Amino acid sequence: MSDHGRDDLASALRQLAKRAEVPPLDPDRERALLEAFDATQQQKRAPAARAGVWRPAAAAALLALAATMAWVIVGRSVRPPAAPVAPLTTSEFVLWPGAAELPTFESGHLMRMEVPVSALPSLGLVPPATHAAVVQADVLVGQDGLPRAVRLSPDF
Amino acid sequence: MAAGEDPSDEALIVRIVSGDRDAFAALYRRHRADVYRFAMHISGSRPVADDVTQDVFMAVIQHAGRYRPERAAVLPWLLGIARNHVRRALDQRPTVTLPDDESAAGRTLVVEPDPLGGLARRQHVLALRRAVLALPVKYREVVVLCDLQELTYDDAATALGCAIGTVRSRLHRGRALLASRLRGTDQPLFRTPVARGML
């Protein structure tokens, strides 16, 4: 190729590059990515949290066993106070039960579905103050079709 | 970092690894267009470019910790990821949608002082775009990276995972193929002085 031809080609390619239109930022796509980011961070923290609590949990189990033994031996009835339950923010995603064991989340999509209020506690969600039997929830489904995280829809 | 100065790409990656959502959003906004253009030029398909762009940043969410600043700058790293996703998409979709300036998506309302000249320019751009898309992928990649996205040979080599010498030789061959294909389409790009500056 001559210098003249090379210059023309370079110039033409630059024009082609300039004409490549990029669609404007899509807020929905950005929001989906940020939600995936949040869910992934939550998933990453979960194993660390589990690793951090198993030893205290084992110690607590041993203590509970010792207390039970003492109760049986001494014959005293001691009812431990109910553990306080930390309220959850209903608008945030919580890890789907068992999702921490699933393959790493790589891609996915959000599905909005109706969930019985009675099933919310088993998902780690606090039932809202409503008389409705079902509420709407957003489920983050991974690349394998398995759920990774769930939240109450903002407009449940 | 001085007040008001944008953080570097590398600094954003460090913050992303530590779970900084805003850093991820900043990186996405900064390089979304670069990734989209690359995918668009290689695939010739807007849906593929959209999906690849999303996939690339999903990969960043998952694998930002794998980024090694001593090996590559962030943009070539992102384009390297994009390249893998585009290739996968092309394998799954052997037929590509050629961009058509007359399609509804490409049609824009403009006031042209020289309608015939504008038409000629569009035809040349379309011919060039088709010629780029007709190149074998390995040549198309280097032409897009070096000539359209103006990456250095070094960065292009990083994105493609090959040696700089390979980039040079593929670029030389790719340009020659492109020139010969354009000559074959009767586009006067290299035949008459009129072509110079026409695009």
Side-chain angles (χ1 to χ4, degrees):
Chain A
M1 199 187 333
S2 69
D3 287 345
H4 180 254
R6 197 161 35 240
D7 289 347
D8 277 344
L9 180 60
S11 166
L13 286 168
R14 275 195 297 275
Q15 290 302 316
L16 179 59
K18 280 180 194 166
R19 279 174 172 253
E21 291 178 10
V22 178
L25 191 72
D26 181 348
D28 289 338
R29 280 182 175 266
E30 186 179 44
R31 187 164 49 246
L33 277 172
L34 291 173
E35 285 174 351
F37 184 85
D38 292 340
T40 305
Q41 292 303 318
Q42 197 172 8
Q43 197 171 0
K44 281 179 181 170
R45 281 193 294 268
R50 278 203 310 278
V53 300
W54 81 266
R55 283 181 185 163
L62 279 174
L63 281 174
L65 181 62
T68 306
M69 296 285 286
W71 176 74
V72 168
I73 293 168
V74 178
R76 292 175 59 192
S77 176
V78 178
R79 184 182 293 274
V85 177
L88 291 175
T89 308
T90 55
S91 63
E92 289 181 356
F93 276 99
V94 299
L95 202 60
W96 187 274
E101 315 300 331
L102 296 175
T104 307
F105 180 80
E106 292 175 353
S107 63
H109 56 274
L110 275 179
M111 289 180 64
R112 179 158 291 183
M113 56 177 63
E114 291 189 331
V115 177
V117 172
S118 59
L120 295 179
S122 65
L123 297 174
L125 295 170
V126 177
T130 173
H131 295 297
V134 295
V135 291
Q136 286 202 321
D138 296 331
V139 179
L140 184 64
V141 180
Q143 70 281 0
D144 47 13
L146 297 173
R148 294 299 202 281
V150 61
R151 72 173 180 187
L152 288 179
S153 301
D155 50 352
F156 63 80
Chain B
M1 187 173 61
E5 189 180 329
D6 287 335
S8 67
D9 290 345
E10 288 72 18
L12 288 177
I13 292 284
V14 171
R15 286 167 51 191
I16 289 169
V17 172
S18 67
D20 187 333
R21 190 179 203 262
D22 292 338
F24 175 75
L27 190 79
Y28 174 68
R29 289 178 175 222
R30 188 179 292 176
H31 288 306
R32 178 187 69 92
D34 295 315
V35 173
Y36 179 91
R37 277 194 202 97
F38 172 76
M40 180 69 198
H41 284 311
I42 298 291
S43 70
S45 161
R46 289 187 179 92
V48 168
D50 274 334
D51 289 347
V52 166
T53 306
Q54 201 79 348
D55 288 342
V56 166
F57 285 95
M58 286 300 296
V60 171
I61 290 174
Q62 290 298 320
H63 306 303
R66 294 184 188 172
Y67 172 71
R68 296 286 174 270
E70 67 275 12
R71 288 191 195 163
V74 172
L75 180 57
W77 180 63
L78 293 176
L79 295 182
I81 299 171
R83 177 220 191 199
N84 293 334
H85 282 281
V86 172
R87 283 200 166 212
R88 206 171 301 153
L90 292 180
D91 288 343
Q92 290 167 357
R93 296 179 46 168
T95 54
V96 297
T97 308
L98 293 179
D100 184 352
D101 281 357
E102 300 307 315
S103 68
R107 199 180 298 138
T108 51
L109 185 63
V110 292
V111 178
E112 290 193 69
D114 178 11
L116 289 178
L119 180 64
R121 278 193 292 277
R122 278 199 297 278
Q123 284 173 342
H124 284 299
V125 169
L126 189 56
L128 182 56
R129 192 174 291 164
R130 287 179 187 276
V132 170
L133 283 169
L135 287 174
V137 173
K138 65 179 182 180
Y139 300 124
R140 198 187 318 162
E141 288 171 340
V142 287
V143 167
V144 168
L145 287 174
C146 297
D147 285 340
L148 295 184
Q149 303 213 264
E150 298 183 349
L151 258 63
T152 64
Y153 289 174
D154 197 14
D155 283 347
T158 300
L160 299 175
C162 65
I164 292 181
T166 307
V167 169
R168 283 203 181 95
S169 61
R170 285 184 186 173
L171 188 59
H172 180 77
R173 177 76 181 136
R175 285 171 176 166
L177 277 173
L178 203 50
S180 94
R181 285 175 195 272
L182 285 168
R183 282 190 201 100
T185 59
D186 285 336
Q187 296 298 328
L189 187 64
F190 305 109
R191 290 184 173 175
T192 67
V194 175
R196 185 178 277 274
M198 203 167 177
L199 287 172

